[in-house]
Amino acid sequence: MPPAANRSGIWTGLAAAGIGLLCLGGGWWLGQLQNGPQAADAARRTLAGQASDLQQRLNTGEASEAEQQRLLELLVALDRKAEATVLLERLADQRPQQWSLRLLLAELRRDQKDRSGAEREVRQLLNLRPDQIEGLQLMALLQLETGRGAQAQSQLEAALQRASKPQLKPEALPIGLLLANVLQKRGQPGQAESLLLKLAAGFPTDQRPLLARAMLQQERGDIKGAQESLALARARKPGPSDPRLDQVAAAWGLAPLRAPSPSPPAKPLPAATTGNQNP
């Protein structure tokens, strides 16, 4: 299973659909890098020039909200994280309702090894939105990284309780998946699997609890159980196969779990012949 510090794994995709942060220039920037060092240098100079112009407009108070947003994108694309952090602090304070800014600020602080600063930003977000899954996810990660797994578990258990009573709410599923991940990271796979089974029962059309259970089973070497869980997950969604199921099956070398191909028609058996029969 992916390490706690890597949020790009399957567990992250299960727990949340994604943060959708503001690094919009990244794809174009990577495309320039693929064209060789000269093209990359030219692209970087172009981005740096645009950032300089926008920074001057910001300093004189002339930059519009769109220009401030663009400057932020450029600073992130140029890996000028300290400057991006300063700008993000300003934007997040100006737009408290735009929670993604606060979350990106926390991500930037964590990336610069400022975990206490990152946690401070996440707490501001969770004070306003206690069950925001992206905030809970980053907080749990910070707590795990600093040896406070019990605190992460307790906080998520409380969030799951709020999302489950007096009736089960949709947000209980991503919170529960995140809690199951924390339980597994803390060496409690039995409790994690029990929780996943409860989530599977509570959300009978969703594949994610069974997919997460299959991952737990595969990790402890229960290949047959993982096959069965993936098959049950596939059965919950008729029609086109969820690509995550095929990716997991392929990664584990479980070819039978992939979308079955139609069986070829059976060939007719040749007629029995005897030695004195004519062909």
Side-chain angles (χ1 to χ4, degrees):
M1 197 165 293
N6 182 357
R7 304 181 66 214
S8 63
I10 297 173
W11 272 103
T12 302
L14 292 171
I19 297 171
L21 301 179
L22 306 176
C23 309
L24 304 181
W28 177 82
W29 171 245
L30 290 174
Q32 296 301 313
L33 288 176
Q34 292 172 354
N35 292 329
Q38 291 183 339
D41 288 343
R44 188 177 185 86
R45 285 194 297 271
T46 299
L47 292 178
Q50 294 175 16
S52 178
D53 292 342
L54 290 171
Q55 186 69 58
Q56 289 181 10
R57 289 183 59 79
L58 180 67
N59 293 341
T60 58
E62 299 174 351
S64 66
E65 284 192 7
E67 288 173 326
Q68 292 178 56
Q69 180 94 0
R70 176 58 180 160
L71 176 57
L72 175 60
E73 295 165 6
L74 290 170
L75 292 174
V76 172
L78 290 165
D79 201 31
R80 289 158 57 175
K81 295 174 185 174
E83 294 172 74
T85 299
V86 172
L87 177 56
L88 257 177
E89 288 176 337
R90 174 175 177 172
L91 294 178
D93 289 341
Q94 289 175 348
R95 310 175 200 172
Q97 76 286 353
Q98 196 169 341
W99 61 266
S100 58
L101 292 173
R102 186 68 61 188
L103 193 64
L104 178 56
L105 179 55
E107 291 272 16
L108 277 175
R109 290 194 186 282
R110 174 178 170 269
D111 194 54
Q112 297 172 83
K113 310 303 181 186
D114 180 11
R115 288 191 175 92
S116 62
E119 189 167 330
R120 182 178 64 249
E121 303 297 346
V122 180
R123 288 198 184 282
Q124 287 193 52
L125 170 60
L126 292 177
N127 285 340
L128 297 174
R129 306 165 65 98
D131 297 328
Q132 176 68 46
I133 185 60
E134 291 87 354
L136 288 171
Q137 186 180 22
L138 183 52
M139 180 63 80
L141 176 63
L142 289 164
Q143 290 166 333
L144 286 170
E145 288 178 338
T146 52
R148 292 175 292 146
Q151 188 176 343
Q153 179 178 334
S154 176
Q155 180 168 312
L156 290 172
E157 287 172 343
L160 182 59
Q161 184 83 355
R162 290 192 298 270
S164 302
K165 293 182 178 181
Q167 60 184 13
L168 196 63
K169 302 179 183 69
E171 54 266 33
L173 179 56
I175 292 172
L177 290 168
L178 182 55
L179 175 56
N181 190 16
V182 169
L183 289 169
Q184 187 274 335
K185 297 294 183 190
R186 300 195 66 220
Q188 302 173 44
Q191 288 183 247
E193 186 169 358
S194 177
L195 174 57
L196 291 171
L197 288 172
K198 289 180 182 178
L199 292 172
F203 297 89
T205 62
D206 201 292
Q207 297 175 309
R208 288 173 290 173
L210 291 171
L211 176 55
R213 185 191 183 209
M215 295 176 67
L216 283 176
Q217 292 169 313
Q218 189 273 343
E219 184 172 86
R220 66 170 181 253
D222 182 6
I223 301 302
K224 182 178 180 181
Q227 279 187 310
E228 292 173 353
S229 292
L230 283 180
L232 288 171
R234 186 185 297 284
R236 289 190 164 198
K237 187 176 181 182
S241 173
D242 188 326
R244 289 175 301 182
L245 297 178
D246 290 337
Q247 290 165 7
V248 171
W252 294 347
L254 303 178
L257 295 174
R258 309 197 65 171
S261 17
S263 300
K267 296 181 180 179
L269 293 174
T273 59
T274 62
N276 57 2
Q277 277 185 308
N278 294 324

mmCIF file of all heavy atoms in Angstrom, residues 158-199:
data_model
loop_
_atom_site.group_PDB
_atom_site.id
_atom_site.type_symbol
_atom_site.label_atom_id
_atom_site.label_comp_id
_atom_site.label_asym_id
_atom_site.label_seq_id
_atom_site.Cartn_x
_atom_site.Cartn_y
_atom_site.Cartn_z
ATOM 1 N N ALA A 158 -14.683 10.822 15.180
ATOM 2 C CA ALA A 158 -15.685 11.826 15.533
ATOM 3 C C ALA A 158 -16.386 12.355 14.277
ATOM 4 O O ALA A 158 -17.612 12.552 14.268
ATOM 5 C CB ALA A 158 -15.028 12.973 16.303
ATOM 6 N N ALA A 159 -15.613 12.585 13.210
ATOM 7 C CA ALA A 159 -16.206 13.069 11.958
ATOM 8 C C ALA A 159 -17.151 12.028 11.363
ATOM 9 O O ALA A 159 -18.229 12.360 10.854
ATOM 10 C CB ALA A 159 -15.104 13.423 10.960
ATOM 11 N N LEU A 160 -16.754 10.757 11.433
ATOM 12 C CA LEU A 160 -17.611 9.698 10.907
ATOM 13 C C LEU A 160 -18.896 9.582 11.728
ATOM 14 O O LEU A 160 -19.974 9.351 11.168
ATOM 15 C CB LEU A 160 -16.855 8.372 10.913
ATOM 16 C CG LEU A 160 -17.611 7.167 10.340
ATOM 17 C CD1 LEU A 160 -18.022 7.415 8.892
ATOM 18 C CD2 LEU A 160 -16.763 5.907 10.437
ATOM 19 N N GLN A 161 -18.786 9.768 13.031
ATOM 20 C CA GLN A 161 -19.969 9.732 13.894
ATOM 21 C C GLN A 161 -20.943 10.837 13.489
ATOM 22 O O GLN A 161 -22.162 10.611 13.397
ATOM 23 C CB GLN A 161 -19.533 9.901 15.348
ATOM 24 C CG GLN A 161 -20.653 9.779 16.366
ATOM 25 C CD GLN A 161 -20.968 8.330 16.708
ATOM 26 O OE1 GLN A 161 -20.416 7.418 16.114
ATOM 27 N NE2 GLN A 161 -21.868 8.131 17.663
ATOM 28 N N ARG A 162 -20.418 12.032 13.238
ATOM 29 C CA ARG A 162 -21.288 13.150 12.843
ATOM 30 C C ARG A 162 -21.960 12.880 11.504
ATOM 31 O O ARG A 162 -23.097 13.285 11.271
ATOM 32 C CB ARG A 162 -20.466 14.444 12.751
ATOM 33 C CG ARG A 162 -19.990 14.989 14.078
ATOM 34 C CD ARG A 162 -19.456 16.407 13.932
ATOM 35 N NE ARG A 162 -18.303 16.494 13.053
ATOM 36 C CZ ARG A 162 -17.042 16.372 13.457
ATOM 37 N NH1 ARG A 162 -16.767 16.138 14.734
ATOM 38 N NH2 ARG A 162 -16.045 16.477 12.597
ATOM 39 N N ALA A 163 -21.231 12.204 10.614
ATOM 40 C CA ALA A 163 -21.774 11.948 9.276
ATOM 41 C C ALA A 163 -22.696 10.733 9.232
ATOM 42 O O ALA A 163 -23.309 10.470 8.201
ATOM 43 C CB ALA A 163 -20.627 11.756 8.287
ATOM 44 N N SER A 164 -22.784 9.988 10.332
ATOM 45 C CA SER A 164 -23.574 8.753 10.343
ATOM 46 C C SER A 164 -24.862 8.857 11.148
ATOM 47 O O SER A 164 -25.759 8.024 10.981
ATOM 48 C CB SER A 164 -22.729 7.601 10.913
ATOM 49 O OG SER A 164 -21.548 7.420 10.162
ATOM 50 N N LYS A 165 -24.962 9.852 12.025
ATOM 51 C CA LYS A 165 -26.147 9.972 12.879
ATOM 52 C C LYS A 165 -26.708 11.386 12.786
ATOM 53 O O LYS A 165 -25.947 12.348 12.645
ATOM 54 C CB LYS A 165 -25.770 9.625 14.324
ATOM 55 C CG LYS A 165 -25.385 8.165 14.508
ATOM 56 C CD LYS A 165 -25.080 7.853 15.953
ATOM 57 C CE LYS A 165 -24.736 6.367 16.133
ATOM 58 N NZ LYS A 165 -24.455 6.033 17.540
ATOM 59 N N PRO A 166 -28.023 11.518 12.866
ATOM 60 C CA PRO A 166 -29.037 10.489 13.086
ATOM 61 C C PRO A 166 -29.291 9.588 11.869
ATOM 62 O O PRO A 166 -29.932 8.555 12.003
ATOM 63 C CB PRO A 166 -30.288 11.309 13.409
ATOM 64 C CG PRO A 166 -30.075 12.597 12.685
ATOM 65 C CD PRO A 166 -28.610 12.862 12.734
ATOM 66 N N GLN A 167 -28.781 9.972 10.713
ATOM 67 C CA GLN A 167 -28.902 9.103 9.545
ATOM 68 C C GLN A 167 -27.619 9.192 8.727
ATOM 69 O O GLN A 167 -26.866 10.153 8.821
ATOM 70 C CB GLN A 167 -30.103 9.501 8.679
ATOM 71 C CG GLN A 167 -30.038 10.935 8.141
ATOM 72 C CD GLN A 167 -31.287 11.328 7.379
ATOM 73 O OE1 GLN A 167 -32.300 10.643 7.448
ATOM 74 N NE2 GLN A 167 -31.220 12.433 6.647
ATOM 75 N N LEU A 168 -27.387 8.163 7.917
ATOM 76 C CA LEU A 168 -26.157 8.086 7.142
ATOM 77 C C LEU A 168 -26.157 9.142 6.045
ATOM 78 O O LEU A 168 -27.093 9.236 5.250
ATOM 79 C CB LEU A 168 -26.037 6.684 6.524
ATOM 80 C CG LEU A 168 -24.667 6.266 6.004
ATOM 81 C CD1 LEU A 168 -23.653 6.208 7.136
ATOM 82 C CD2 LEU A 168 -24.778 4.911 5.312
ATOM 83 N N LYS A 169 -25.096 9.937 6.003
ATOM 84 C CA LYS A 169 -24.973 10.992 5.002
ATOM 85 C C LYS A 169 -23.929 10.577 3.958
ATOM 86 O O LYS A 169 -23.040 9.770 4.247
ATOM 87 C CB LYS A 169 -24.545 12.309 5.651
ATOM 88 C CG LYS A 169 -25.488 12.805 6.739
ATOM 89 C CD LYS A 169 -24.963 14.103 7.333
ATOM 90 C CE LYS A 169 -25.837 14.596 8.485
ATOM 91 N NZ LYS A 169 -25.743 13.730 9.672
ATOM 92 N N PRO A 170 -23.991 11.126 2.745
ATOM 93 C CA PRO A 170 -23.018 10.754 1.707
ATOM 94 C C PRO A 170 -21.571 10.961 2.126
ATOM 95 O O PRO A 170 -20.693 10.188 1.742
ATOM 96 C CB PRO A 170 -23.406 11.652 0.530
ATOM 97 C CG PRO A 170 -24.841 11.991 0.748
ATOM 98 C CD PRO A 170 -25.025 12.051 2.232
ATOM 99 N N GLU A 171 -21.315 12.008 2.919
ATOM 100 C CA GLU A 171 -19.923 12.285 3.304
ATOM 101 C C GLU A 171 -19.353 11.231 4.242
ATOM 102 O O GLU A 171 -18.138 11.200 4.476
ATOM 103 C CB GLU A 171 -19.794 13.680 3.925
ATOM 104 C CG GLU A 171 -20.711 13.953 5.082
ATOM 105 C CD GLU A 171 -22.016 14.637 4.665
ATOM 106 O OE1 GLU A 171 -22.504 14.373 3.547
ATOM 107 O OE2 GLU A 171 -22.526 15.434 5.475
ATOM 108 N N ALA A 172 -20.209 10.363 4.789
ATOM 109 C CA ALA A 172 -19.692 9.298 5.658
ATOM 110 C C ALA A 172 -18.787 8.343 4.888
ATOM 111 O O ALA A 172 -17.863 7.764 5.477
ATOM 112 C CB ALA A 172 -20.852 8.523 6.283
ATOM 113 N N LEU A 173 -19.026 8.186 3.586
ATOM 114 C CA LEU A 173 -18.221 7.231 2.816
ATOM 115 C C LEU A 173 -16.769 7.683 2.684
ATOM 116 O O LEU A 173 -15.856 6.938 3.070
ATOM 117 C CB LEU A 173 -18.856 6.990 1.451
ATOM 118 C CG LEU A 173 -18.099 6.030 0.531
ATOM 119 C CD1 LEU A 173 -17.887 4.684 1.197
ATOM 120 C CD2 LEU A 173 -18.847 5.857 -0.791
ATOM 121 N N PRO A 174 -16.467 8.886 2.154
ATOM 122 C CA PRO A 174 -15.049 9.265 2.066
ATOM 123 C C PRO A 174 -14.381 9.399 3.426
ATOM 124 O O PRO A 174 -13.201 9.068 3.566
ATOM 125 C CB PRO A 174 -15.079 10.605 1.312
ATOM 126 C CG PRO A 174 -16.472 11.102 1.429
ATOM 127 C CD PRO A 174 -17.347 9.889 1.508
ATOM 128 N N ILE A 175 -15.126 9.848 4.440
ATOM 129 C CA ILE A 175 -14.530 9.935 5.777
ATOM 130 C C ILE A 175 -14.201 8.537 6.292
ATOM 131 O O ILE A 175 -13.119 8.288 6.854
ATOM 132 C CB ILE A 175 -15.485 10.660 6.742
ATOM 133 C CG1 ILE A 175 -15.618 12.134 6.346
ATOM 134 C CG2 ILE A 175 -14.974 10.554 8.184
ATOM 135 C CD1 ILE A 175 -16.688 12.882 7.114
ATOM 136 N N GLY A 176 -15.116 7.585 6.086
ATOM 137 C CA GLY A 176 -14.875 6.223 6.527
ATOM 138 C C GLY A 176 -13.701 5.574 5.813
ATOM 139 O O GLY A 176 -12.908 4.845 6.422
ATOM 140 N N LEU A 177 -13.577 5.832 4.520
ATOM 141 C CA LEU A 177 -12.451 5.291 3.763
ATOM 142 C C LEU A 177 -11.133 5.849 4.277
ATOM 143 O O LEU A 177 -10.134 5.131 4.392
ATOM 144 C CB LEU A 177 -12.625 5.610 2.278
ATOM 145 C CG LEU A 177 -13.744 4.861 1.554
ATOM 146 C CD1 LEU A 177 -13.999 5.483 0.180
ATOM 147 C CD2 LEU A 177 -13.416 3.384 1.404
ATOM 148 N N LEU A 178 -11.134 7.131 4.598
ATOM 149 C CA LEU A 178 -9.923 7.750 5.136
ATOM 150 C C LEU A 178 -9.581 7.162 6.509
ATOM 151 O O LEU A 178 -8.418 6.864 6.800
ATOM 152 C CB LEU A 178 -10.121 9.267 5.228
ATOM 153 C CG LEU A 178 -8.947 10.097 5.725
ATOM 154 C CD1 LEU A 178 -7.694 9.845 4.910
ATOM 155 C CD2 LEU A 178 -9.314 11.578 5.707
ATOM 156 N N LEU A 179 -10.605 6.957 7.337
ATOM 157 C CA LEU A 179 -10.377 6.349 8.648
ATOM 158 C C LEU A 179 -9.832 4.926 8.501
ATOM 159 O O LEU A 179 -8.911 4.524 9.231
ATOM 160 C CB LEU A 179 -11.675 6.335 9.446
ATOM 161 C CG LEU A 179 -11.642 5.611 10.801
ATOM 162 C CD1 LEU A 179 -10.543 6.167 11.712
ATOM 163 C CD2 LEU A 179 -13.005 5.701 11.486
ATOM 164 N N ALA A 180 -10.372 4.170 7.558
ATOM 165 C CA ALA A 180 -9.866 2.809 7.335
ATOM 166 C C ALA A 180 -8.391 2.833 6.941
ATOM 167 O O ALA A 180 -7.599 1.984 7.367
ATOM 168 C CB ALA A 180 -10.695 2.110 6.259
ATOM 169 N N ASN A 181 -8.014 3.816 6.147
ATOM 170 C CA ASN A 181 -6.608 3.942 5.755
ATOM 171 C C ASN A 181 -5.735 4.232 6.974
ATOM 172 O O ASN A 181 -4.659 3.641 7.144
ATOM 173 C CB ASN A 181 -6.469 5.068 4.726
ATOM 174 C CG ASN A 181 -5.099 5.106 4.086
ATOM 175 O OD1 ASN A 181 -4.332 4.158 4.167
ATOM 176 N ND2 ASN A 181 -4.786 6.211 3.443
ATOM 177 N N VAL A 182 -6.202 5.128 7.833
ATOM 178 C CA VAL A 182 -5.441 5.453 9.042
ATOM 179 C C VAL A 182 -5.327 4.221 9.941
ATOM 180 O O VAL A 182 -4.253 3.944 10.507
ATOM 181 C CB VAL A 182 -6.102 6.631 9.782
ATOM 182 C CG1 VAL A 182 -5.490 6.811 11.179
ATOM 183 C CG2 VAL A 182 -5.930 7.921 8.981
ATOM 184 N N LEU A 183 -6.412 3.467 10.090
ATOM 185 C CA LEU A 183 -6.367 2.247 10.902
ATOM 186 C C LEU A 183 -5.331 1.268 10.350
ATOM 187 O O LEU A 183 -4.566 0.659 11.106
ATOM 188 C CB LEU A 183 -7.753 1.593 10.926
ATOM 189 C CG LEU A 183 -8.829 2.319 11.742
ATOM 190 C CD1 LEU A 183 -10.195 1.724 11.459
ATOM 191 C CD2 LEU A 183 -8.522 2.252 13.232
ATOM 192 N N GLN A 184 -5.309 1.123 9.029
ATOM 193 C CA GLN A 184 -4.336 0.219 8.415
ATOM 194 C C GLN A 184 -2.916 0.721 8.664
ATOM 195 O O GLN A 184 -2.017 -0.063 8.998
ATOM 196 C CB GLN A 184 -4.630 0.096 6.918
ATOM 197 C CG GLN A 184 -3.801 -0.937 6.198
ATOM 198 C CD GLN A 184 -2.469 -0.384 5.729
ATOM 199 O OE1 GLN A 184 -2.343 0.822 5.522
ATOM 200 N NE2 GLN A 184 -1.495 -1.250 5.545
ATOM 201 N N LYS A 185 -2.696 2.030 8.526
ATOM 202 C CA LYS A 185 -1.362 2.590 8.753
ATOM 203 C C LYS A 185 -0.916 2.392 10.199
ATOM 204 O O LYS A 185 0.276 2.280 10.486
ATOM 205 C CB LYS A 185 -1.352 4.085 8.434
ATOM 206 C CG LYS A 185 -1.660 4.443 6.983
ATOM 207 C CD LYS A 185 -0.597 3.969 6.052
ATOM 208 C CE LYS A 185 -0.888 4.407 4.621
ATOM 209 N NZ LYS A 185 0.031 3.739 3.673
ATOM 210 N N ARG A 186 -1.878 2.318 11.125
ATOM 211 C CA ARG A 186 -1.554 2.157 12.540
ATOM 212 C C ARG A 186 -1.471 0.691 12.946
ATOM 213 O O ARG A 186 -1.412 0.382 14.129
ATOM 214 C CB ARG A 186 -2.587 2.890 13.404
ATOM 215 C CG ARG A 186 -2.675 4.395 13.130
ATOM 216 C CD ARG A 186 -3.429 5.085 14.249
ATOM 217 N NE ARG A 186 -2.673 4.993 15.501
ATOM 218 C CZ ARG A 186 -3.222 4.764 16.692
ATOM 219 N NH1 ARG A 186 -4.530 4.566 16.794
ATOM 220 N NH2 ARG A 186 -2.476 4.699 17.781
ATOM 221 N N GLY A 187 -1.476 -0.204 11.968
ATOM 222 C CA GLY A 187 -1.324 -1.614 12.279
ATOM 223 C C GLY A 187 -2.581 -2.273 12.795
ATOM 224 O O GLY A 187 -2.504 -3.227 13.586
ATOM 225 N N GLN A 188 -3.748 -1.794 12.349
ATOM 226 C CA GLN A 188 -5.020 -2.369 12.770
ATOM 227 C C GLN A 188 -5.823 -2.812 11.539
ATOM 228 O O GLN A 188 -6.924 -2.311 11.289
ATOM 229 C CB GLN A 188 -5.816 -1.352 13.589
ATOM 230 C CG GLN A 188 -5.090 -0.839 14.818
ATOM 231 C CD GLN A 188 -5.837 0.280 15.518
ATOM 232 O OE1 GLN A 188 -7.042 0.217 15.706
ATOM 233 N NE2 GLN A 188 -5.117 1.318 15.890
ATOM 234 N N PRO A 189 -5.298 -3.734 10.752
ATOM 235 C CA PRO A 189 -5.989 -4.113 9.516
ATOM 236 C C PRO A 189 -7.341 -4.772 9.757
ATOM 237 O O PRO A 189 -8.259 -4.642 8.937
ATOM 238 C CB PRO A 189 -5.011 -5.087 8.847
ATOM 239 C CG PRO A 189 -4.168 -5.613 9.969
ATOM 240 C CD PRO A 189 -4.039 -4.487 10.939
ATOM 241 N N GLY A 190 -7.488 -5.487 10.886
ATOM 242 C CA GLY A 190 -8.771 -6.114 11.183
ATOM 243 C C GLY A 190 -9.862 -5.081 11.376
ATOM 244 O O GLY A 190 -10.977 -5.219 10.840
ATOM 245 N N GLN A 191 -9.571 -4.026 12.144
ATOM 246 C CA GLN A 191 -10.545 -2.961 12.338
ATOM 247 C C GLN A 191 -10.822 -2.227 11.027
ATOM 248 O O GLN A 191 -11.965 -1.827 10.758
ATOM 249 C CB GLN A 191 -10.034 -1.970 13.388
ATOM 250 C CG GLN A 191 -10.054 -2.509 14.816
ATOM 251 C CD GLN A 191 -9.596 -1.458 15.814
ATOM 252 O OE1 GLN A 191 -8.549 -1.597 16.436
ATOM 253 N NE2 GLN A 191 -10.372 -0.407 15.951
ATOM 254 N N ALA A 192 -9.779 -2.047 10.225
ATOM 255 C CA ALA A 192 -9.965 -1.383 8.937
ATOM 256 C C ALA A 192 -10.908 -2.191 8.050
ATOM 257 O O ALA A 192 -11.837 -1.641 7.431
ATOM 258 C CB ALA A 192 -8.620 -1.188 8.244
ATOM 259 N N GLU A 193 -10.705 -3.504 8.000
ATOM 260 C CA GLU A 193 -11.551 -4.334 7.152
ATOM 261 C C GLU A 193 -12.989 -4.364 7.664
ATOM 262 O O GLU A 193 -13.944 -4.327 6.880
ATOM 263 C CB GLU A 193 -10.990 -5.749 7.065
ATOM 264 C CG GLU A 193 -11.746 -6.628 6.078
ATOM 265 C CD GLU A 193 -11.036 -7.938 5.794
ATOM 266 O OE1 GLU A 193 -9.935 -8.154 6.342
ATOM 267 O OE2 GLU A 193 -11.583 -8.737 5.020
ATOM 268 N N SER A 194 -13.163 -4.410 8.980
ATOM 269 C CA SER A 194 -14.505 -4.387 9.550
ATOM 270 C C SER A 194 -15.239 -3.103 9.172
ATOM 271 O O SER A 194 -16.427 -3.125 8.806
ATOM 272 C CB SER A 194 -14.417 -4.522 11.072
ATOM 273 O OG SER A 194 -15.689 -4.435 11.664
ATOM 274 N N LEU A 195 -14.529 -1.994 9.224
ATOM 275 C CA LEU A 195 -15.134 -0.718 8.853
ATOM 276 C C LEU A 195 -15.499 -0.700 7.366
ATOM 277 O O LEU A 195 -16.569 -0.219 6.973
ATOM 278 C CB LEU A 195 -14.172 0.431 9.174
ATOM 279 C CG LEU A 195 -14.593 1.828 8.713
ATOM 280 C CD1 LEU A 195 -15.946 2.216 9.280
ATOM 281 C CD2 LEU A 195 -13.533 2.859 9.102
ATOM 282 N N LEU A 196 -14.625 -1.242 6.539
ATOM 283 C CA LEU A 196 -14.899 -1.265 5.102
ATOM 284 C C LEU A 196 -16.135 -2.104 4.781
ATOM 285 O O LEU A 196 -16.920 -1.762 3.891
ATOM 286 C CB LEU A 196 -13.679 -1.795 4.343
ATOM 287 C CG LEU A 196 -12.462 -0.868 4.349
ATOM 288 C CD1 LEU A 196 -11.246 -1.577 3.761
ATOM 289 C CD2 LEU A 196 -12.744 0.423 3.583
ATOM 290 N N LEU A 197 -16.318 -3.198 5.503
ATOM 291 C CA LEU A 197 -17.502 -4.024 5.293
ATOM 292 C C LEU A 197 -18.768 -3.259 5.699
ATOM 293 O O LEU A 197 -19.810 -3.367 5.042
ATOM 294 C CB LEU A 197 -17.388 -5.327 6.077
ATOM 295 C CG LEU A 197 -16.368 -6.329 5.524
ATOM 296 C CD1 LEU A 197 -16.188 -7.506 6.479
ATOM 297 C CD2 LEU A 197 -16.788 -6.824 4.140
ATOM 298 N N LYS A 198 -18.691 -2.486 6.772
ATOM 299 C CA LYS A 198 -19.833 -1.663 7.176
ATOM 300 C C LYS A 198 -20.145 -0.613 6.110
ATOM 301 O O LYS A 198 -21.305 -0.347 5.788
ATOM 302 C CB LYS A 198 -19.546 -0.989 8.514
ATOM 303 C CG LYS A 198 -19.544 -1.938 9.703
ATOM 304 C CD LYS A 198 -19.244 -1.178 10.995
ATOM 305 C CE LYS A 198 -19.199 -2.138 12.182
ATOM 306 N NZ LYS A 198 -18.852 -1.428 13.448
ATOM 307 N N LEU A 199 -19.106 -0.007 5.562
ATOM 308 C CA LEU A 199 -19.310 0.984 4.503
ATOM 309 C C LEU A 199 -19.901 0.339 3.259
ATOM 310 O O LEU A 199 -20.777 0.919 2.597
ATOM 311 C CB LEU A 199 -17.985 1.669 4.167
ATOM 312 C CG LEU A 199 -17.380 2.572 5.246
ATOM 313 C CD1 LEU A 199 -15.980 3.024 4.840
ATOM 314 C CD2 LEU A 199 -18.274 3.773 5.516
#
